[in-house]
Amino acid sequence: MTHADILEAWSGHLSHGRRRSPHTVRAYTAAAARLISHEATNWETIARITATDLRNHIAARRAQGLGNASVARELSALRAFLSFAREKAQLGQSAPPRLKGPRIKKGLPRPVTPDEAVHLAATVEEDAKTEWIGARDRAVLILLYGAGLRIAEALSITGKALPLGETLLVTGKGGKQRLVPLLPAVRAAITDYLAKSPWPVGREDPLFRGEKGGPLAQGMVQKTMARARQCLGLPPTATPHALRHSFATHLLGAGADLRSLQELLGHASLGSTQIYTKVDAATLLDVYRNAHPREAN
């Protein structure tokens, strides 16, 4: 077995065994590659990695400028990798070396306002070099905001979803599926894009296509929105994922209950959804302070 074989087995386990997203697979595989040397050619050697080895590795990564959040993610990836190595080495259920990660202060999501979301969608349409690409970019952003989807969820939609109805079956993290409502404005934006696109969409084809007909990449959506937010003078927090946060925050502010919101967002736990109660409270506090500036002191 070679170093490459080990990484390939780990990557395959993540992709097929754990059904992790391509982004997670890349990140976890890269973390494993940084930990093990090219001399590591069997699972037994990797399984013998100690807490001291892990601590020294993380110290070296910190010296390279890694922050607390990145250290926490790296440790999570490495714990999973070492557990997998111990299983492959047939060491039973013995636990991998434990190393306490840094405490991370979880920040609140920064939603955009409904007006900002509309202006972002209009700006990406106007800024595009062709009409069909503009219609596509507008449709993607409206879908993210209007249905609360993750980028990966939106870009994984295929022609099986057509013709569009009042709901859309979405495949989220871990391959879990959920039904989300499609507002008329969202359906209209996608229909307009499909009418202008030069690429026919078969049942197995991606709904959103790149310039040359391949699947639209997440990076292209992120770059497009980055240009639009600069044009509108919005902060760096106005990312495609912020549109999902905005969907959640605005629904909560309109009276949606947490359980319904959890189902719409595809959160595995209610705790992930409860953060939006704090976001909504923060939004209300901003409104109060603006209306009563003397009370802000």
Side-chain angles (χ1 to χ4, degrees), residues 96-133:
R98 295 184 63 83
L99 187 62
K100 190 174 181 180
R103 292 177 64 88
I104 305 297
K105 184 178 180 181
K106 195 167 185 179
L108 294 180
R110 294 284 300 276
V112 298
T113 68
D115 280 348
E116 287 169 348
V118 170
H119 286 122
L120 282 164
T123 300
V124 298
E125 184 174 30
E126 295 167 0
D127 192 47
K129 59 183 177 181
T130 65
E131 184 181 17
W132 82 267
I133 289 178

Side-chain angles (χ1 to χ4, degrees), residues 79-277:
R79 289 190 191 109
F81 174 59
L82 293 178
S83 292
F84 179 67
R86 295 175 80 83
E87 289 177 12
K88 299 293 284 186
Q90 298 182 341
L91 295 183
Q93 298 298 318
S94 58
R98 295 184 63 83
L99 187 62
K100 190 174 181 180
R103 292 177 64 88
I104 305 297
K105 184 178 180 181
K106 195 167 185 179
L108 294 180
R110 294 284 300 276
V112 298
T113 68
D115 280 348
E116 287 169 348
V118 170
H119 286 122
L120 282 164
T123 300
V124 298
E125 184 174 30
E126 295 167 0
D127 192 47
K129 59 183 177 181
T130 65
E131 184 181 17
W132 82 267
I133 289 178
R136 178 202 68 193
D137 294 342
R138 177 176 179 271
V140 171
L141 295 196
I142 287 180
L143 177 60
L144 296 179
Y145 176 68
L149 302 191
R150 302 176 178 95
I151 306 181
E153 292 172 345
L155 300 188
S156 68
I157 298 170
T158 66
K160 291 179 183 177
L162 301 177
L164 295 174
E166 294 184 352
T167 59
L168 178 68
L169 184 64
V170 175
T171 301
K173 288 185 176 180
K176 293 181 180 178
Q177 293 187 315
R178 68 185 189 277
L179 275 177
V180 297
L182 276 187
L183 298 173
V186 177
R187 294 200 302 271
I190 296 175
T191 301
D192 179 59
Y193 149 65
L194 291 172
K196 294 173 179 175
S197 173
W199 307 104
V201 180
R203 282 183 57 81
E204 303 300 326
D205 295 327
L207 185 67
F208 296 107
R209 312 290 280 270
E211 186 175 0
K212 297 182 179 179
L216 179 61
Q218 290 190 33
M220 290 303 299
V221 178
Q222 291 163 341
K223 289 179 182 178
T224 298
M225 186 150 172
R227 289 195 298 269
R229 71 169 178 254
Q230 289 172 358
C231 179
L232 295 172
L234 297 179
T237 52
T239 64
H241 200 65
L243 295 175
R244 172 174 160 87
H245 293 317
S246 300
F247 167 85
T249 303
H250 300 156
L251 275 183
L252 188 64
D257 65 274
L258 282 176
R259 285 293 179 189
S260 298
L261 193 55
Q262 179 188 1
E263 292 180 8
L264 282 174
L265 293 172
H267 282 160
S269 69
L270 188 61
S272 299
T273 313
Q274 284 174 330
I275 192 172
Y276 291 106
T277 62

